[in-house]
Amino acid sequence: MEDRVRVVIAEDSVLLREGLTRLLTDRGHDVVAGVGDAEALIKTVAELAAEDALPDVVVADVRMPPTHTDEGVRAAVRLRRDHPGIGVLVLSQYVEEQYATELLAGSSTGVGYLLKDRVAEVREFLDAVVRVARGGTALDPEVVAQLLGRSRKQDVLAGLTPREREVLGLMAEGRTNSAVAKQLVVSDGAVEKHVSNIFMKLGLSPSDGDHRRVLAVLTYLKS
């Protein structure tokens, strides 16, 4: 399978961990390990690295034992630092702005933040896993809405029109220009014009390459 990826799952709920494993393997992906806490996640990835068998992506809960606060996201941040080639997709019960900001503040590639309810949207979840594994970005629409709401308060995106903010939000979810056009019922050309305006208004030059799509959403994090 062209989009087949190797996955490590870190989730303390055995039921959810097994469910994610079944969901991914049924679609042809390889779940190479499943662990229940952040320490085991770090150790497992290190062991795989020593065997030159790093996974393509780690799917991890934000909150894991022993304190069920931020162990998962801190492990995710560490993995992104120690193994830049690994995609990291974190799952959270709620939108936790502090954790989302911490995760997204570094490299803009191979990262995702989804609410656990999104797992029920099987196709969207599987698409997100593959996209992050391939170096893309997957942000839950609720996360995007909250982060963009904060950025508006800070006037970081004050120069964007309401339509441009709407396009930016859909871009942040990982949608292509064609998918944005379909969602908004406009032409591909109209979306391309909006995207170009967003890049220009946020000061993102062509030299920033394909990552401009992500940087456009994350600009406010650096303010």
Side-chain angles (χ1 to χ4, degrees):
M1 189 175 70
E2 184 179 352
D3 288 332
R4 185 171 185 168
V5 296
R6 300 176 71 253
V7 188
V8 169
I9 298 174
E11 167 61 57
D12 64 293
S13 167
V14 175
L15 183 61
L16 181 53
R17 187 167 72 241
E18 292 300 320
L20 292 174
T21 298
R22 179 67 179 272
L23 185 63
L24 289 162
T25 55
D26 281 354
R27 268 62 177 188
H29 300 298
D30 296 325
V31 177
V32 297
V35 299
D37 59 71
E39 183 178 348
L41 172 60
I42 296 295
K43 180 180 179 182
T44 296
V45 172
E47 290 173 348
L48 291 170
E51 299 170 0
D52 195 25
L54 280 173
D56 298 304
V57 60
V58 168
V59 178
D61 191 359
V62 165
R63 299 178 179 231
M64 287 194 288
T67 68
H68 292 279
T69 54
D70 61 355
E71 284 89 350
V73 75
R74 292 200 177 282
V77 170
R78 177 174 170 180
L79 289 176
R80 280 169 58 74
R81 182 192 67 216
D82 295 346
H83 308 283
I86 297 179
V88 174
L89 175 61
V90 300
L91 304 178
S92 179
Q93 193 69 40
Y94 310 102
V95 178
E96 301 180 87
E97 184 176 317
Q98 177 184 348
Y99 299 154
T101 300
E102 186 173 4
L103 182 69
L104 299 171
S107 170
S108 59
T109 62
V111 63
Y113 189 112
L114 297 182
L115 295 184
K116 286 188 174 181
D117 288 346
R118 197 66 54 186
V119 176
E121 303 293 335
V122 174
R123 184 172 180 178
E124 290 185 23
F125 172 69
L126 294 172
D127 286 347
V129 170
V130 173
R131 188 160 63 248
V132 171
R134 299 304 184 217
T137 303
L139 300 181
D140 195 283
E142 291 297 324
V143 175
V144 173
Q146 184 160 319
L147 297 183
L148 290 180
R150 192 190 95 171
S151 67
R152 283 199 296 273
K153 294 176 184 177
Q154 297 175 334
D155 291 329
V156 176
L157 305 180
L160 301 185
T161 66
R163 175 61 92 180
E164 288 165 353
R165 291 194 191 100
E166 192 172 10
V167 169
L168 180 55
L170 292 171
M171 286 165 54
E173 294 172 24
R175 303 190 189 219
T176 63
N177 285 1
S178 295
V180 172
K182 183 177 180 180
Q183 177 71 21
L184 299 180
V185 195
V186 297
S187 68
D188 287 1
V191 172
E192 290 175 4
K193 183 176 180 180
H194 287 312
V195 172
S196 294
N197 287 339
I198 290 168
F199 291 159
M200 179 184 67
K201 291 179 180 180
L202 296 183
L204 299 173
S205 69
S207 63
D208 291 314
D210 294 337
H211 299 327
R212 288 190 298 173
R213 296 181 72 85
V214 179
L215 292 173
V217 179
L218 303 181
T219 294
Y220 79 97
L221 292 173
K222 300 176 182 179
S223 65

